[in-house]
Amino acid sequence: MKGIDPEQMSKEDEPLSPDYKDSSDSVSECSSEDSADNIPDAAFIKRARRKRHLARAQSNYLSLNVSNDAVQRKETEDEETEDESDNKGLEFAPKFRALGDRMIKDEDIEEDEMQNEWEEQQIKKALKLSQGIYAAVPLSTTKQTQTKIDAFASLPPINTEIVKKRLNRRIALLQDIHRSHQREYEKYTKDIEDSKTAAQELEKSSNAASNYKFYRAMKTYIGNLIDCLNEKVFHINELELEMYILLKQQAQILLKRRQEDLRNESSYIQLLTKNSKSSNGCMEDDIQKLLEDCKARRRHRREKRECSYKVDHHEGMSSDDERPPEAAVDFQKKKNDILQNCKNLFEDVHMDYCTIRNILLKFQHWKDDFPDSYYNAYISLCLPKLLNPLIRVQLIDWNLLEEDCVNLKDMPWFRDVKDFLAGKNVSQFERTDDPDENILAKIIDNIIFPKITGFVDYVWDPLSTSQTKSLVQICKNVFEEYSFLKTDSSKAKQDLLNHIISRMKKSIEDDVFIPLYPKSAVEDKTSPHATFQDRQFWSTVKLLSNILLWDSIIPEDVLQELGLSKLVNRYLLLIIINLPSGPDNVEKCTKVVACLPERWFRECEDGSSLPQLSNFNQHLLQLARALYKDNCRNEIKDVILLLAKVKALHIADDFLEEYQMEHLKSILNV
């Protein structure tokens, strides 16, 4: 086969411009100009194809002036590159950076294949060779295809384990990248928080001057407040002591007069019993005069009861607390002087230092704006001590034994403290165990309980129903308010209860006196003996009723000991047993049962009453039998009803069966 001279072809190609569009025109021109003897061989075609490939890589410019050495060197580099690519590991997924290059490479391969096909068709048309020469061209093409197949066959085998391992490595790599990104995110988040905290600290530091000004002003205010209270507390103690002495003297005067009246009347009745006059006539005249005064006061109280339509009353159940007009005027004058001194006590003091509300507003401002320093300074322990003198001034006029006594919740200081405790700014500061909640409890422990205890010891008269009701109501209100506070039972509260019990015991020992006279002396209800005994009986019933008003405040066993064991069994029952059976006896028994709290009998089971009432229940049984003999049917029904109230059901059943009065059994279900 005769080939084309490369040098001649190069010379012919030199005048061609770089804008020569397609190599196919060159081949067709060569085919048309040359004869059949100038047909290019396969090597020449391969070199031409290589030159076109290089031209595409260089902005689609195909230079035909390429030396054989450059073409051979390029072929060698391409073969080495193909060998190296064969030795590399099989890539199952293209890298992200090489994806564009591979797409361009795929497009180039498709263009090469189309170009090859077109060249083969042109060669077939241009060449008029013999059958053997014509068949040489597809033979070379088949050889190249076989070479490519062999190259693919030399690649390593692929299986699922290799794919799985590479996927796992890829997943592990992605997880490491994710963790590193997560750490970076957390770092950035922490940096943002630190920046915000630093900004807040800087903002606070910018307010250092104003903070210093506030603390300095607060220190000056507290110092002035303490100095003011230290100066006034001496006068407060004096005024409080004066009022306390005034009330105590008034209570002692009334108590002493009642005891003297009791002794004088008892002595006078003893003189009447002996039917002899005292050798000392002056003493008898004095007793007569005192008794006349006592009768006048008693008559005056009776007239007041009649005007108020109090019909259910007996002589001895009223409190002899009337004072002579001169003594009442003197008492009121001294009381007004003390109150006026209290009013003038803080005339020279600014409102910020003598008004509880203004003082608490200062500390409220501190608590809202600077809660950390507020709690670190233990203000909750200091406020009760600071407010102590001012609260005591308001309590100087607080007589808790009067019927119109002001309730604790209605006092100005109590409302101010409640407003302070309710004024916590939750949006700025929130604390689950706020120590300020114990401020009110400390005030009650240190001020209220001791004041009530003083009244109980020296002013309260247990025989006075009005005083006892007022005191009981005050104690219930204080204890109820105290129970809502987050504090345990205090020593001051227990001391108050102990003093109440001691005062009631003392009253039973000193004020209860029921004389026993012969039946002949008391048969006449208008006789002095019967009148005095009856009056003392009802006075004891009143004391029993007053003592049992403390139910739910004083322990139940203590009240049962005082009311049932000492008053009922020792005094009242002794008089009731000696009374003749009749309506008067039934009425006295009814009054005694009416004093007993119904709560005591709710837990009684099997029809058994309280053990302390066993003697009283036996008396009711004997009274019912005596009434049956006297044919007093209505009174019998009342006695059965009393047995049902005290849960003495067995005694009542036995009586009804004994006397065949089953029609009254319906009363037992009441």
Side-chain angles (χ1 to χ4, degrees), residues 398-402 405 451-452 455-456 467 470-471 474:
W398 188 45
N399 189 348
L400 50 91
L401 300 179
E402 295 179 351
C405 174
K451 189 172 184 66
I452 298 176
F455 270 82
V456 168
Q467 291 185 11
S470 299
L471 182 60
I474 288 294

Side-chain angles (χ1 to χ4, degrees), residues 130-141:
S130 60
Q131 186 65 28
I133 297 173
Y134 182 79
V137 176
L139 182 62
S140 62
T141 304

Side-chain angles (χ1 to χ4, degrees), residues 319-335:
S319 299
D320 187 8
D321 53 1
E322 285 119 352
R323 290 167 290 180
E326 299 82 5
V329 172
D330 183 63
F331 173 82
Q332 191 63 37
K333 181 178 180 302
K334 292 180 179 179
K335 181 179 179 180

Side-chain angles (χ1 to χ4, degrees), residues 25 59 62 98 107 109 113 121 132 143 181 225 319 334 383 396 398 400 412 429 441 507 629-630 637 642 665:
D25 297 335
S59 302
L62 181 61
E107 292 176 359
I109 293 173
E113 291 177 356
Q121 293 177 0
K143 183 177 181 180
H181 291 170
L225 176 62
S319 299
K334 292 180 179 179
L383 279 179
I396 287 178
W398 188 45
L400 50 91
F429 186 79
S507 179
K629 292 179 181 179
D630 297 338
K637 183 178 179 181
L642 293 178
K665 285 189 176 182

Side-chain angles (χ1 to χ4, degrees), residues 302-409:
R302 188 185 308 111
E303 292 174 357
K304 289 179 64 176
R305 288 194 302 271
E306 291 175 356
C307 293
S308 59
Y309 302 101
K310 291 183 178 180
V311 295
D312 188 14
H313 184 82
H314 298 275
E315 290 292 339
M317 298 187 71
S318 61
S319 299
D320 187 8
D321 53 1
E322 285 119 352
R323 290 167 290 180
E326 299 82 5
V329 172
D330 183 63
F331 173 82
Q332 191 63 37
K333 181 178 180 302
K334 292 180 179 179
K335 181 179 179 180
N336 292 336
D337 292 341
I338 295 173
L339 296 180
Q340 184 63 34
N341 292 333
C342 290
K343 185 178 180 180
N344 300 333
L345 186 61
F346 291 99
E347 282 186 345
D348 57 342
V349 179
H350 193 271
M351 296 297 292
D352 289 343
Y353 297 93
C354 63
T355 306
I356 294 178
R357 177 175 293 275
N358 293 347
I359 295 173
L360 292 178
L361 285 176
K362 294 282 187 180
F363 288 95
Q364 183 69 49
H365 177 55
W366 186 1
K367 181 179 179 181
D368 292 341
D369 294 345
F370 307 97
D372 294 335
S373 61
Y374 175 87
Y375 287 102
N376 292 334
Y378 298 99
I379 301 301
S380 60
L381 300 178
C382 303
L383 279 179
K385 296 180 181 180
L386 288 175
L387 302 179
N388 185 297
L390 300 175
I391 294 175
R392 287 164 53 196
V393 171
Q394 295 187 21
L395 293 177
I396 287 178
D397 191 28
W398 188 45
N399 189 348
L400 50 91
L401 300 179
E402 295 179 351
E403 294 183 359
D404 56 349
C405 174
V406 180
N407 193 3
L408 191 68
K409 297 180 180 180

